[in-house]
Amino acid sequence: MIHLAISDSHLFCAQWINQNGKPLLCSVSYKALPRPLSLLNHVESETISILNAGLHLIREDISFEGEQVYVTLPDQFTQSVSVPFDQDMTENDGWSFAKWTLDQRWSSDENHEYFGRLFESENRHVFSTRVPTIFTEPIKMAIQELGG
């Protein structure tokens, strides 16, 4: 299992293996990006270039081949909400309401991908995060190219 944490200016990657049913940290890599992502102003070609350069440096230390990869992005590149929804609403209604709330609070012409989690308790709610595809698509492609 690999956890890739992307900051504005660095990549941090940690790899675990399962040893006797317990996770064991076996590799860590920390690499600077050629330029801070915040300076790119969401220019797709530059973002792809910077992320790929950083990921290829990480690959020199850690193999992604066949690994499950989890990615963390800084809050400055995402928007998140936690919204309650009524008992009368279906799970799909809750997800739609969370997506609508994100789109209302942060109007944008960019394409986004939505991630989240449903919490079923006395107070049902959905936590949802919106990430511009300018980040998600290059990250997915790079991880696939690296074998993850």
Side-chain angles (χ1 to χ4, degrees), residues 81-98 101 117-128:
V81 295
S82 181
V83 293
F85 61 101
D86 298 335
Q87 295 295 341
D88 296 336
M89 296 171 71
T90 66
E91 185 176 320
N92 285 338
D93 293 337
W95 285 110
S96 294
F97 181 52
T101 302
R117 181 168 181 195
L118 173 71
F119 293 94
E120 293 277 355
S121 62
E122 288 181 27
N123 302 320
R124 296 172 29 167
H125 64 280
V126 172
F127 174 80
S128 185

Side-chain angles (χ1 to χ4, degrees), residues 95-108:
W95 285 110
S96 294
F97 181 52
K99 182 180 181 289
W100 178 85
T101 302
L102 282 165
D103 292 341
Q104 292 300 306
R105 286 188 185 169
W106 294 283
S107 179
S108 172

Side-chain angles (χ1 to χ4, degrees), residues 68-89:
Q68 194 170 22
V69 181
Y70 297 90
V71 178
T72 303
L73 288 170
D75 289 340
Q76 74 189 70
F77 300 120
T78 68
Q79 294 92 33
S80 300
V81 295
S82 181
V83 293
F85 61 101
D86 298 335
Q87 295 295 341
D88 296 336
M89 296 171 71

Side-chain angles (χ1 to χ4, degrees), residues 7-111:
S7 76
D8 182 43
S9 58
H10 290 82
L11 297 179
F12 175 80
C13 190
Q15 182 178 36
W16 286 268
I17 59 171
N18 188 1
Q19 188 173 40
N20 300 324
K22 296 182 180 180
L24 175 67
L25 181 63
C26 59
S27 298
V28 174
S29 182
Y30 182 79
K31 303 290 183 185
L33 293 172
R35 289 180 47 203
L37 294 171
S38 60
L39 297 179
L40 303 178
N41 295 319
H42 293 251
V43 176
E44 185 171 7
S45 60
E46 290 184 47
T47 302
I48 291 169
S49 176
I50 297 299
L51 288 173
N52 280 340
L55 287 167
H56 284 286
L57 290 173
I58 292 285
R59 185 175 70 173
E60 293 174 5
D61 298 335
I62 296 176
S63 171
F64 283 40
E65 193 67 40
E67 294 283 353
Q68 194 170 22
V69 181
Y70 297 90
V71 178
T72 303
L73 288 170
D75 289 340
Q76 74 189 70
F77 300 120
T78 68
Q79 294 92 33
S80 300
V81 295
S82 181
V83 293
F85 61 101
D86 298 335
Q87 295 295 341
D88 296 336
M89 296 171 71
T90 66
E91 185 176 320
N92 285 338
D93 293 337
W95 285 110
S96 294
F97 181 52
K99 182 180 181 289
W100 178 85
T101 302
L102 282 165
D103 292 341
Q104 292 300 306
R105 286 188 185 169
W106 294 283
S107 179
S108 172
D109 291 333
E110 290 183 303
N111 291 324

